[in-house]
Amino acid sequence: MKIQKLYLFLVIVSALSCKTGDSTPDWTGNYLGVYSTQAGFGDKFSRYTWIISKEGHNQLRIGLLTEDTYKLGSADFSFKYYYSVAARMKDQHTFDIDEEVKANNRVFRVQATGTRMENGWLAVTLPSIANEGESEYLEFKKDTRVSAPQEANLAGTYTTTTIEGNQTVIHTMVVSRGEGNLLRINYRIEDLVTVGGNTLRGISEYPLEKAVMGQSNSLKIDETAGEEGKKVHIRASGLLINMKYEDTYQPDVIALGIEYTRPDGAEARKSDYLEFKKQ
């Protein structure tokens, strides 16, 4: 009888422990969205964009896009780097990052504790991508134009256009639902380069079959696609949002930090932060 009572007691204690663990508040809701900051020193000016999505209970996925611009004489030279890390909430005000990443053709570890300040900004010290061995203290401001969609439907056609110098790039994603939480994305990139009054046109298509739609409208891509001999590994993380552009309200925008690499690890094209608008 005593053994049975002891067994029953242990079962109850175990059940209560599990229940207590499950009842831990989820603090991720206040963090989801797009953040940015900038810093300048000497001939270097940097812009940073954080895209924060939900990966699980008190777990975040953070995509960081860094754009470094160097001024040499009258010319500007720009470099973009992207990496994605997981972050775990310690409490409602702090989160930890501890993950090995690859950016700027080197592998390094990101170990940091981020803090959500009273004004909603996120403060964190991160290793410098451009300068090995150095760190940067950054305060990221949340983009207040962003809001969460009430009813998310990722299926549809999304586009965005970037212009840099004589090059225009049109990005198009046709998204459809796959099995479970998987998405099929036909990703098309059209490059238009103007040289001497003539426009050169190139098109690349990447059929993605395993994009993942996660919690709170998050989206994650980690897949190799493209023609044989021209394959590119596309790695991206972000989320579906609503966005206000000046006086225009744009529902259903896919905000992504995205990286393109070749099978040998070399950069296939510049990493970027893109806002795909639903058509």
Side-chain angles (χ1 to χ4, degrees):
M1 181 65 69
K2 289 183 178 180
I3 294 176
Q4 289 178 337
K5 288 182 178 180
L6 177 60
Y7 175 75
L8 181 60
F9 174 76
L10 292 174
V11 169
I12 293 172
V13 169
S14 177
L16 289 174
S17 298
C18 293
K19 186 176 180 181
T20 302
D22 292 342
S23 64
T24 304
D26 190 336
W27 298 296
T28 57
N30 290 329
Y31 289 78
L32 308 182
V34 179
Y35 297 74
S36 62
T37 190
Q38 56 189 36
F41 182 77
D43 61 356
K44 177 187 174 186
F45 178 79
S46 300
R47 289 188 179 90
Y48 307 87
T49 303
W50 257 15
I51 311 96
I52 302 183
S53 55
K54 183 179 178 69
E55 192 150 271
H57 185 79
N58 280 329
Q59 296 180 63
L60 301 169
R61 170 60 53 180
I62 303 175
L64 173 62
L65 191 285
T66 302
E67 181 177 4
D68 291 333
T69 300
Y70 297 86
K71 193 168 190 65
L72 298 176
S74 59
D76 291 340
F77 296 89
S78 178
F79 303 90
K80 294 182 180 181
Y81 315 105
Y82 172 79
Y83 65 76
S84 169
V85 292
R88 178 175 289 277
M89 303 295 305
K90 294 177 65 177
D91 53 47
Q92 60 182 319
H93 301 294
T94 57
F95 56 90
D96 283 338
I97 301 171
D98 187 1
E99 191 169 335
E100 190 174 82
V101 301
K102 182 178 180 181
N104 194 22
N105 295 319
R106 65 184 180 90
V107 176
F108 56 96
R109 193 159 202 88
V110 179
Q111 290 180 307
T113 296
T115 303
R116 186 172 187 266
M117 301 186 291
E118 290 185 3
N119 59 5
W121 293 26
L122 302 182
V124 65
T125 298
L126 297 171
S128 170
I129 298 177
N131 302 314
E132 189 172 356
E134 297 183 11
S135 296
E136 301 166 310
Y137 172 76
L138 302 169
E139 294 182 357
F140 287 85
K141 180 181 180 181
K142 192 171 188 178
D143 192 331
T144 56
R145 301 173 302 156
V146 174
S147 62
Q150 296 300 312
E151 294 184 9
N153 179 16
L154 269 168
T157 300
Y158 300 77
T159 65
T160 189
T161 300
T162 62
I163 300 174
E164 187 173 336
N166 66 336
Q167 183 176 17
T168 299
V169 184
I170 303 170
H171 300 259
T172 303
M173 285 188 170
V174 180
V175 182
S176 60
R177 295 301 300 265
E179 295 183 5
N181 65 339
L182 296 181
L183 298 171
R184 297 188 183 94
I185 301 177
N186 184 18
Y187 182 22
R188 184 177 188 266
I189 302 177
E190 182 176 0
D191 291 291
L192 303 172
V193 181
T194 302
V195 180
N198 297 316
T199 300
L200 306 177
R201 181 170 177 260
I203 296 177
S204 302
E205 295 201 13
Y206 305 103
L208 305 170
E209 301 287 338
K210 299 177 182 178
V212 178
M213 181 179 180
Q215 300 180 42
S216 299
N217 308 320
S218 66
L219 177 64
K220 188 176 180 180
I221 300 171
D222 192 356
E223 193 172 345
T224 299
E227 298 177 24
E228 199 62 43
K230 298 181 181 179
K231 290 191 178 295
V232 171
H233 189 85
I234 297 173
R235 190 162 57 99
S237 66
L239 66 168
L240 182 72
I241 59 174
N242 294 332
M243 177 72 83
K244 185 176 181 182
Y245 296 97
E246 297 179 352
D247 296 328
T248 303
Y249 178 75
Q250 174 71 49
D252 297 336
V253 174
I254 297 178
L256 282 182
I258 191 164
E259 176 191 55
Y260 315 85
T261 54
R262 302 191 189 283
D264 61 0
E267 185 179 70
R269 63 189 305 127
K270 280 188 178 181
S271 301
D272 218 336
Y273 165 67
L274 300 172
E275 293 172 359
F276 291 82
K277 303 175 186 67
K278 196 169 190 177
Q279 301 304 294

